[in-house]
Amino acid sequence: WIPDPEGAKADLLATTGDYLRVWKVDESGENCALECLLNNNKTSEFCAPLTSFDWNETNPNIVGTSSIDTTCTIWDLNTQQDIKTTGKVETQLIAHDQEVYDIAFAKGVNVFASVGADGSVRMFDLRTLEHS
């Protein structure tokens, strides 16, 4: 569910598997409809299976996903595209040498960590990805 302690935003939930899907729950709470389907592979309609995702609690428009293809992708739900950092689109970053099992944002907008099958935990800062 979208992090929304005040209850001011529409009820959204996200699911992963082959894609990141964001669903909007109607006001009755009984029905949901696909709000967006996000694919991190720009050259194909298919993408590597996603293993996990995390919603950024500080900015709920940002969602991070991890994948078996060694990457993490940070999504901006406002644009339904990869988040723009330092003036360019970061489609995805290679986070580990093997599958990425999990991703989690720290407090704030910019820092997240991932854990991979290579046995490592790595931290990244969206403001300085080239130095993470």
Side-chain angles (χ1 to χ4, degrees), residues 1-3 9-15 20-23 53-64 77 103-106:
W1 293 98
I2 188 168
K9 298 185 181 299
D11 282 337
L12 298 176
L13 64 99
T15 59
L20 173 63
R21 289 179 171 86
V22 179
W23 306 84
F53 75 95
D54 191 36
W55 228 303
N56 186 299
E57 290 187 24
T58 304
N59 181 350
N61 292 315
I62 297 175
V63 177
L77 296 182
I103 184 172
F105 281 98

